[in-house]
């Protein structure tokens, strides 16, 4: 095998060397084309097959756009052919999207979403085909319901009775749904209605009253008639919640306006009651108005418009003329006529008459208005209490007067003008309507401020006591500070005198020694100084020389000594 491979390679190299460049280029191009064809075939064969969403095309372009937009919001891919067929990636995605489109009523009426879920075999009997139809519908309906996100499993049972002209039994169905633990499907009415519409559209002839959808415990979840009472209670709760919300908003708005004027301490309490009619009422009205021939010119200072009550739409004029002998019928021969004597005397009289009639069809402006009102405010009642002003009584010197161990105060009630203005403010805030029965009450009742006054009195007397304590402490500190300053002054003065006395004694002793030395020297005596005196003389000479050479350093040293002492 290896020898054959080596011979083949050697032969290929020999042929490659004999070929001209153009032949090599053609061979390379053929190889590239073959590789490209293989890659494209592999990619096309690896492309996933799609499943049609409906077995009928969607011919309505607007409805097709709505369906594609809804699929795009779900984040799923959809493919549309030129003839209107919609395809998706797999059957599971198709069932999921059908459930959404059917629940939101986006499927065109011309399309049966369940078409193609079963095959009809003409070789079978009608009974076999009916059983197959029933099983196919149950199976596909089960798969369709289980495609809903929160449904774990679904059991579907259909009853399709035979058609009879005498006794036709209705089509009925029962569905049991098992959902996840945290799902709201069993309580969400909108989703239950969507599932019910899916089942009704899947089973031909099935009505709502013959469909039962239950949970795993057997509780019927599509009993909307039984839920009417709970819905009514829920509706009443929502209505009351709406009324309370409006009362709170109105109270906050009015109370905020009053507290800016009378302060929060004087305007605390407000009660707002709104009575609303939540019933839905429909009223139809017809309004007739004249026809505007010429509108008013806004540039002119007067009204130059022209109106007409009616506008002729069509007109007919009929004119009848008669001339000749008057005819007075008297009935059959031999019978006395019933004509009055006045007209009998005018018989056989030649005369002339003209009759003219005008029939005109007029048109007028008519405006039809249909209005539905709900809800409607029946009455608004507002009650608020305003407190007057409390003022501390002071003497001529501006000091607060203390009476019976507490601060003396006087009360000033709210003036009638202020209460009238407050009423007007509230009426403007609530849109006061006297005919509606609105009511606004503003009272002036004193708030119980006993606890507040006790706290203020206690704080006032505590502040006075605190000021006295601080004053005594400051006096004691000032006395201590003055005593300390006097002590320091006296002690420094005593220390200064002691140093002066010692310096004076040292100077006297030094002068006595110097005199003794000079006297001994004058007498020619040899004077021998002790070691201490010699050391003292040397230190003194060094200090004098140091002071002469560095006077600033010596002054700093002396200053430091004085500060330390």
């Amino acid at each position: 095998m290896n020898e054959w491979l080596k011979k083949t390679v050697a032969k290929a190299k020999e042929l490659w060397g004999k070929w001209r460049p153009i032949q090599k280029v053609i061979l390379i191009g053929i190889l590239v084309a073959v590789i490209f064809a293989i890659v494209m075939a592999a990619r096309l064969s690896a492309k996933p097959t799609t499943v049609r969403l409906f077995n009928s095309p969607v011919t309505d372009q607007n409805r097709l756009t709505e369906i594609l937009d809804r699929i795009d919001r779900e984040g799923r891919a959809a493919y549309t052919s030129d003839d209107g067929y919609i395809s998706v990636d797999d059957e599971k995605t198709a069932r999921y999207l059908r459930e959404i489109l059917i629940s939101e009523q986006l499927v065109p009426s011309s399309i049966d979403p369940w078409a193609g879920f079963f095959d009809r075999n003409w070789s079978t009997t009608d009974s076999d085909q009916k059983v197959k139809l029933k099983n196919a519908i149950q199976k596909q309906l089960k798969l369709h319901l289980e495609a809903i996100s929160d449904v774990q499993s679904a059991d579907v049972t259909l009853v399709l009775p035979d058609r009879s002209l005498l006794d036709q039994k209705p089509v009925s169905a029962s569905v049991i749904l098992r959902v996840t633990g945290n799902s709201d499907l069993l309580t969400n009415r909108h989703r239950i209605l969507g599932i019910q519409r899916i089942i009704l559209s899947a089973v031909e002839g099935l009505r709502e009253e013959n469909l039962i959808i239950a949970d795993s415990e057997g509780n019927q979840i599509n009993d909307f008639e039984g839920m009417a009472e709970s819905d009514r209670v829920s509706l009443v709760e929502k209505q009351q919640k709406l009324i309370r919300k409006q009362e709170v908003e109105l109270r906050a708005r009015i109370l905020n306006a009053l507290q800016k004027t009378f302060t929060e301490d004087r305007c605390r309490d407000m009660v707002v009651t709104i009575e609303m009619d939540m019933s839905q009422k429909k009223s139809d009205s017809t309004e007739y108005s004249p026809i505007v021939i010429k509108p008013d010119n806004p540039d002119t200072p007067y009204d130059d418009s022209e109106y007409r009550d009616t506008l002729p739409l069509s007109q007919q004029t009929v004119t009848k003329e008669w001339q000749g002998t008057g005819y007075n019928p008297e009935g059959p021969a031999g019978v006395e006529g019933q004509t009055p004597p006045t007209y009998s005397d005018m018989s056989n009289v030649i005369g002339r008459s003209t009759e003219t009639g005008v029939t005109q069809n007029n048109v007028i402006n008519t405006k039809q208005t249909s209005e539905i009102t709900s809800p409607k405010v029946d009455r608004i009642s507002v009650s608020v209490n305003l407190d007057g002003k409390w003022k501390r009584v002071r003497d001529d010197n501006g000091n607060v007067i203390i009476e019976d161990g507490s601060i003396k105060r006087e009360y000033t009630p709210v003036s009638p003008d202020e209460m009238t203005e407050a009423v007007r403010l509230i009426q403007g805030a609530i849109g006061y309507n006297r005919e509606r029965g609105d009511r606004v009450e503003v009272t002036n009742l004193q708030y119980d401020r006993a606890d507040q006054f006790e706290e203020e009195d206690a704080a006032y007397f505590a502040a006075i006591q605190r000021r006295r304590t601080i004053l005594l402490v400051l006096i004691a500190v000032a006395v201590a500070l003055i005593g300390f300053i006097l002590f320091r002054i006296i002690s420094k003065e005593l220390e200064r005198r002691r140093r002066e006395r010692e310096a004076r004694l040292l100077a006297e002793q030094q002068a006595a020694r110097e005199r003794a030395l000079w006297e001994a020297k004058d007498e020619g005596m040899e004077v021998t100084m002790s070691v201490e005196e010699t050391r003292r003389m040397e230190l003194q000479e060094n200090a004098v020389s140091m002071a002469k050479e560095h006077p600033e350093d010596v002054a700093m040293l002396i200053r430091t000594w004085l500060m330390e002492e």
Side-chain angles (χ1 to χ4, degrees):
M1 186 66 181
N2 294 333
E3 293 294 333
W4 176 81
L5 182 61
K6 291 180 180 179
K7 290 180 180 181
T8 304
V9 173
K11 188 176 181 179
K13 289 182 179 179
E14 184 180 356
L15 292 175
W16 180 262
K18 293 180 180 180
W19 284 0
R20 289 179 297 178
I22 187 64
Q23 292 176 333
K24 295 179 180 180
V25 172
I26 293 173
L27 179 60
I28 293 173
I30 293 172
L31 292 176
V32 170
V34 170
I35 294 172
F36 179 76
I38 293 173
V39 171
M40 291 301 296
R43 292 188 61 182
L44 291 176
S45 62
K47 184 176 180 181
T49 58
T50 58
V51 177
R52 285 184 177 180
L53 187 62
F54 306 118
N55 284 352
S56 299
V58 181
T59 57
D60 188 355
Q61 191 63 32
N62 294 331
R63 182 53 59 90
L64 178 61
T65 304
E66 292 178 358
I67 293 174
L68 294 178
D69 291 341
R70 188 64 184 89
I71 295 174
D72 185 64
R73 288 201 301 271
E74 290 296 323
R76 306 299 176 94
Y79 312 98
T80 308
S81 62
D82 296 336
D83 51 359
Y85 285 97
I86 302 174
S87 302
V88 294
D89 294 334
D90 49 29
E91 183 63 29
K92 183 178 180 181
T93 304
R95 289 196 301 268
Y96 174 73
L97 294 177
R98 286 193 201 102
E99 184 266 336
I100 294 176
L101 296 177
I102 294 173
S103 63
E104 297 184 4
Q105 298 181 356
L106 293 178
V107 180
S109 58
S110 61
I111 293 180
D112 182 9
W114 298 91
F117 282 178
F118 53 87
D119 296 328
R120 295 182 181 272
N121 191 349
W122 295 101
S123 64
T124 59
T125 62
D126 292 341
S127 299
D128 294 337
Q129 187 167 332
K130 186 176 296 183
V131 172
K132 290 181 180 180
L133 173 63
K134 175 182 175 181
N135 294 335
I137 295 176
Q138 289 184 168
K139 180 180 177 181
Q140 296 301 328
L141 183 56
K142 173 182 173 65
L143 294 176
H144 208 48
L145 293 176
E146 290 177 351
I148 301 174
S149 59
D150 295 339
V151 177
Q152 291 181 342
S153 63
D155 295 334
V156 180
T157 302
L158 299 179
V159 177
L160 304 178
D162 296 333
R163 296 183 178 273
S164 175
L165 296 176
L166 299 178
D167 185 12
Q168 177 61 44
K169 296 182 180 180
V171 179
S172 61
S174 63
V175 178
I176 298 178
L177 300 178
R178 295 176 180 86
V179 299
T180 57
N182 57 351
S183 173
D184 64 339
L185 189 145
L186 300 179
T187 57
N188 192 331
R189 185 169 184 174
H190 179 71
R191 300 188 65 185
I192 296 173
L193 286 172
I195 294 174
Q196 181 171 283
R197 282 194 291 267
I198 292 173
I199 301 172
L200 293 176
S201 63
V203 183
E204 182 181 1
L206 180 61
R207 296 185 177 182
E208 296 182 5
E209 58 269 17
N210 299 323
L211 172 61
I212 296 178
I213 305 175
D215 58 6
S216 58
E217 297 179 357
N219 300 319
Q220 185 178 356
I221 62 176
N222 67 330
D223 184 13
F224 301 117
E225 295 181 359
M227 297 171 61
E229 185 65 24
S230 61
D231 293 343
R232 189 185 68 82
V233 175
S234 178
L235 179 61
V236 172
E237 292 179 354
K238 292 179 180 179
Q239 293 174 353
Q240 294 297 325
K241 186 177 180 181
L242 175 63
I243 294 175
R244 297 295 175 266
K245 180 181 178 182
Q246 293 185 356
E247 289 177 351
V248 170
E249 293 177 354
L250 187 60
R251 178 183 181 277
R253 185 166 65 248
I254 301 174
L255 195 60
N256 186 28
L258 291 176
Q259 287 179 348
K260 290 182 179 179
T261 304
F262 296 96
T263 70
E264 297 182 3
D265 186 54
R266 295 175 56 197
C267 182
R268 306 177 189 173
D269 304 327
M270 175 175 289
V271 178
V272 178
T273 303
I274 300 178
E275 298 178 5
M276 299 185 66
D277 183 9
M278 291 296 180
S279 60
Q280 190 175 22
K281 298 179 180 180
K282 182 178 179 181
S283 59
D284 298 331
S285 60
T286 303
E287 180 181 352
Y288 299 97
S289 59
I291 299 174
V292 180
I293 303 300
K294 177 183 177 183
D296 181 24
N297 187 4
D299 297 331
T300 59
Y302 54 88
D303 186 4
D304 58 349
S305 60
E306 182 180 351
Y307 297 92
R308 186 173 297 175
D309 295 338
T310 59
L311 183 66
L313 188 63
S314 61
Q315 187 175 6
Q316 180 182 8
T317 304
V318 179
T319 303
K320 296 180 180 180
E321 294 185 0
W322 176 85
Q323 182 177 3
T325 303
Y327 178 69
N328 186 12
E330 296 184 355
V335 178
E336 185 178 356
Q338 302 296 326
T339 306
T342 303
Y343 291 97
S344 299
D345 297 339
M346 296 175 62
S347 61
N348 300 323
V349 177
I350 299 175
R352 180 178 183 179
S353 65
T354 302
E355 181 182 356
T356 304
V358 178
T359 302
Q360 181 172 318
N361 185 15
N362 296 327
V363 65
I364 61 175
N365 275 345
T366 305
K367 182 179 180 182
Q368 301 286 341
T369 303
S370 179
E371 183 180 5
I372 298 177
T373 58
S374 175
K376 179 182 178 182
V377 177
D378 286 343
R379 182 182 179 186
I380 301 178
S381 301
V382 180
S383 175
V384 64
N385 181 49
L386 301 178
D387 192 11
K389 296 181 180 179
W390 287 93
K391 183 179 180 181
R392 295 181 178 181
V393 180
R394 300 179 181 273
D395 55 13
D396 297 337
N397 297 327
N399 298 323
V400 177
I401 299 176
I402 306 301
E403 188 178 73
D404 297 333
S406 60
I407 301 174
K408 185 178 181 181
R409 299 175 177 85
E410 62 180 8
Y411 177 77
T412 303
V414 182
S415 64
D417 295 339
E418 291 179 340
M419 296 184 66
T420 303
E421 293 299 324
V423 171
R424 292 178 57 189
L425 187 147
I426 297 173
Q427 290 178 350
I430 66 174
Y432 180 80
N433 187 354
R434 184 177 179 182
E435 297 179 356
R436 191 172 57 189
D438 294 349
R439 184 175 181 182
V440 176
E441 294 291 340
V442 178
T443 59
N444 179 208
L445 299 177
Q446 296 184 20
Y447 291 133
D448 185 8
R449 300 178 181 270
D451 297 337
Q452 177 185 349
F453 290 162
E454 289 181 1
E455 294 178 359
E456 292 179 357
D457 293 346
Y460 176 77
F461 292 123
I464 294 175
Q465 186 64 29
R466 189 164 49 253
R467 287 196 296 270
R468 290 177 181 176
T469 303
I470 293 173
L471 182 60
L472 293 176
V473 170
L474 292 176
I475 292 174
V477 170
V479 171
L481 184 60
I482 293 172
F484 177 74
I485 294 172
L486 292 176
F487 173 76
R488 290 289 297 172
I489 294 173
I490 294 172
S491 61
K492 287 185 177 181
E493 183 64 22
L494 294 176
E495 185 65 23
R496 185 181 64 78
R497 292 181 180 182
R498 183 181 63 77
R499 287 198 300 269
E500 289 180 355
R501 186 170 58 254
E502 291 178 354
R504 189 169 55 255
L505 292 176
L506 291 175
E508 291 177 356
Q509 292 176 1
Q510 183 65 24
R513 283 195 295 272
E514 290 179 355
R515 282 196 304 272
L517 291 175
W518 287 107
E519 289 177 354
K521 190 181 288 186
D522 292 339
E523 293 177 357
M525 296 176 60
E526 184 177 356
V527 181
T528 303
M529 293 186 295
S530 62
V531 177
E532 294 180 357
E533 293 178 353
T534 305
R535 182 63 177 169
R536 184 181 293 117
M537 290 295 294
E538 291 177 358
L539 291 175
Q540 186 175 0
E541 291 176 1
N542 292 333
V544 172
S545 61
M546 180 66 71
K548 291 180 180 180
E549 294 177 359
H550 305 284
E552 294 180 357
D553 296 339
V554 174
M556 182 66 69
L557 179 60
I558 295 172
R559 190 181 297 110
T560 303
W561 287 349
L562 294 175
M563 290 177 64
E564 290 179 354
E565 293 180 356

